Amino acid sequence: MRAAAIAMSSCCCSLLSTTPLFLKPNTKFICFPKPKPKQSVIEFDAKFCRQLPRCASNDKNVTSAVDDDDILSLLQIFPCDLRDSLLYESKQDQLLEVILDLGRLPEARYLGDSGRQYLRNTEVSMKELQYAQNAVGEFGGDNRAGITGTLHRISAIRSRKGEVVGLTCRVGRAVNGHVAMVQDLLHFGESILFVGRPGVGKTTVMREIARVLSDELHKRVVIVDTSNEIGGDGDIPHPAIGGSRRMQVPDPSMQHRVMIEAVENHMPEVIIIDEIGTEAEVQASRTIAERGVMLIGTAHGERLGNIIKNPTLSDLIGGVETVTLGDQEARSRKSKKSVLERKAPPTFPFLIEMRERHHWVTHRTERSVDALLKGKWPMVEVRRRDKQFKVVIERWQTDKA
């Protein structure tokens, strides 16, 4: 009964004559008595919507404006007052995430804003968190959950007793146009690693690359989707990934096994993997690359230098080892006798630093790693969008681009 009430866009039978855009076919409704004139409509989640005239989410004009983001599916898990506040926010299309922490004011974060925006002046209660948790469903072993048919991600913070005391509700959008920044590199057929700070858009890029490779370049693409972030929640992948196939991962610790399984069982030409972070996943990536399969992946790190210094991830760029030089070689190099060198070919021939959403730095991994280990600035390509939104590529000798 509770889940059915959440799916409702209106709590009154009189409003059911026109079906809102965001409701799916065969949705079950629970009808409440029609209120008397000048009375407030008290919805199913009345504890969180007391004395509100009605939810703004019932406004069909608002619905049509935000339907493309499936944003209403996310807003349905919030109390009615927060839902209204978010729907009528002028920066709604820039909404990045909503934070609900027990005993604190609910807040929204937007793209390009370093500060926070509080949604009301009363703290989040345990009942509100439970309401949202019940609307979302079961969380996985990585404390993440999704909403079926959408790209949104809900992450939980738990207490020592295992109770949910905080939620990070991340908005997932299928955005087209980012792939133009690397369209030329996709034709090389070589593996590409994306790095960048959280929230810069790495997963969004993965999603669009999957669509372009499968639908436009006609590649056999398999996505190893650990938290269902790329292909969306549910057993049917989101249309944003095009004709790519998606393999779900039962537990985050099994991601490397599913990566190998994808190669051995499904003959992909391209494998897409988000958030390579463990030694087992790094070794699986190398094994896949050695079999001639193109890899598109992301890793935690802001710059190439961060990957070089990370002992777990450094094998992605060839690994680093200490080499002792002879006296004559050390003099010719004008260096110490013990130096750092790359020990193997990189798993990813290309590495892209996503500095901002429209400011990327492209490395030819082998050359850049060798230059950085020698204390030199590598030659890089800086890819930006100009005021006309066209991609501009420039070559720089310095990493300060």
Side-chain angles (χ1 to χ4, degrees):
M1 177 181 293
R2 192 174 184 85
I6 293 168
M8 294 176 59
S9 70
S10 172
C11 303
C12 301
C13 295
S14 61
L15 298 178
L16 297 180
S17 58
T18 57
T19 303
L21 297 177
F22 64 90
L23 291 180
K24 299 181 179 179
N26 302 322
T27 302
K28 295 182 179 180
F29 294 91
I30 298 175
C31 296
F32 291 84
K34 182 177 179 180
K36 297 178 181 180
K38 298 183 180 180
Q39 272 190 318
S40 297
V41 177
I42 305 300
E43 299 196 15
F44 180 80
D45 54 346
K47 293 181 180 180
F48 314 130
C49 305
R50 293 184 188 278
Q51 305 305 317
L52 287 175
R54 67 186 179 97
C55 275
S57 55
N58 294 333
D59 191 327
K60 298 177 77 173
N61 293 328
V62 175
T63 303
S64 61
V66 296
D67 188 57
D68 290 341
D69 293 339
D70 297 319
I71 191 70
L72 289 172
S73 299
L74 177 65
L75 298 186
Q76 292 301 312
I77 75 172
F78 300 138
C80 202
D81 55 342
L82 300 188
R83 196 182 312 166
D84 286 356
S85 177
L86 292 167
L87 276 172
Y88 284 112
E89 171 59 48
S90 60
K91 298 183 295 182
Q92 183 203 94
D93 60 335
Q94 299 296 311
L95 180 63
L96 181 64
E97 60 188 10
V98 177
I99 308 297
L100 302 178
D101 285 333
L102 181 63
R104 294 187 175 182
L105 300 179
E107 60 183 87
R109 296 176 181 173
Y110 295 87
L111 293 173
D113 288 352
S114 57
R116 62 188 70 179
Q117 179 174 323
Y118 293 114
L119 299 175
R120 70 182 185 202
N121 56 7
T122 56
E123 293 83 4
V124 176
S125 68
M126 180 59 76
K127 290 183 179 180
E128 289 175 317
L129 288 175
Q130 291 173 348
Y131 176 81
Q133 187 179 357
N134 292 337
V136 171
E138 185 177 356
F139 286 86
D142 54 357
N143 279 318
R144 292 180 178 180
I147 300 174
T148 301
T150 74
L151 302 171
H152 308 308
R153 185 188 78 190
I154 294 87
S155 302
I157 297 176
R158 296 185 182 272
S159 66
R160 294 181 63 183
K161 297 179 181 179
E163 297 178 344
V164 174
V165 294
L167 293 174
T168 302
C169 307
R170 191 78 175 267
V171 178
R173 293 183 173 92
V175 181
N176 294 329
H178 287 297
V179 75
M181 300 277 279
V182 291
Q183 189 88 42
D184 56 322
L185 300 184
L186 297 181
H187 292 280
F188 284 100
E190 294 190 279
S191 299
I192 306 173
L193 180 67
F194 289 84
V195 298
R197 57 181 173 76
V200 78
K202 298 187 295 296
T203 302
T204 302
V205 172
M206 296 292 101
R207 197 177 294 126
E208 190 181 6
I209 288 178
R211 179 187 59 79
V212 170
L213 287 173
S214 62
D215 292 359
E216 298 181 15
L217 300 183
H218 308 293
K219 300 284 188 180
R220 298 189 302 273
V221 181
V222 173
I223 300 171
V224 178
D225 207 359
T226 304
S227 299
N228 286 354
E229 283 194 76
I230 300 178
D233 203 55
D235 294 334
I236 301 176
H238 195 277
I241 66 172
S244 302
R245 304 181 73 188
R246 190 263 296 272
M247 294 183 67
Q248 300 184 62
V249 182
D251 187 86
S253 62
M254 298 178 62
Q255 178 168 280
H256 64 287
R257 296 183 183 179
V258 179
M259 293 168 65
I260 299 299
E261 179 186 338
V263 177
E264 294 177 343
N265 293 352
H266 304 290
M267 294 190 303
E269 295 176 284
V270 183
I271 284 185
I272 295 179
I273 176 70
D274 200 10
E275 296 184 1
I276 301 172
T278 67
E279 186 175 351
E281 292 160 7
V282 170
Q283 294 304 318
S285 299
R286 177 167 290 279
T287 299
I288 292 170
E290 289 173 350
R291 298 187 185 190
V293 178
M294 179 181 178
L295 272 170
I296 305 292
T298 68
H300 296 291
E302 191 172 359
R303 305 285 181 92
L304 173 58
N306 301 130
I307 305 299
I308 294 175
K309 296 175 183 178
N310 189 320
T312 301
L313 300 179
S314 62
D315 277 352
L316 295 175
I317 48 87
V320 179
E321 63 181 357
T322 301
V323 177
T324 302
L325 304 176
D327 294 338
Q328 184 175 354
E329 180 68 17
R331 283 194 296 269
S332 64
R333 293 192 184 188
K334 297 181 181 180
S335 66
K336 298 180 180 178
K337 296 188 66 174
S338 294
V339 296
L340 296 176
E341 291 188 353
R342 178 173 48 83
K343 64 181 179 181
T347 302
F348 292 88
F350 290 104
L351 184 144
I352 296 177
E353 300 173 357
M354 296 180 64
R355 305 280 180 89
E356 299 293 340
R357 288 184 177 267
H358 303 300
H359 178 192
W360 299 2
V361 175
T362 304
H363 292 270
R364 190 70 183 183
T365 308
E366 187 172 325
R367 299 173 186 171
S368 292
V369 170
D370 291 346
L372 289 171
L373 292 177
K374 293 177 182 178
K376 301 178 181 179
W377 292 116
M379 178 69 74
V380 298
E381 284 186 352
V382 179
R383 297 167 180 243
R384 296 189 179 96
R385 288 190 183 274
D386 59 17
K387 295 181 180 179
Q388 287 73 39
F389 215 61
K390 295 181 179 179
V391 178
V392 177
I393 302 177
E394 302 171 318
R395 293 180 64 84
W396 291 76
Q397 181 65 47
T398 173
D399 194 44
K400 297 179 180 179

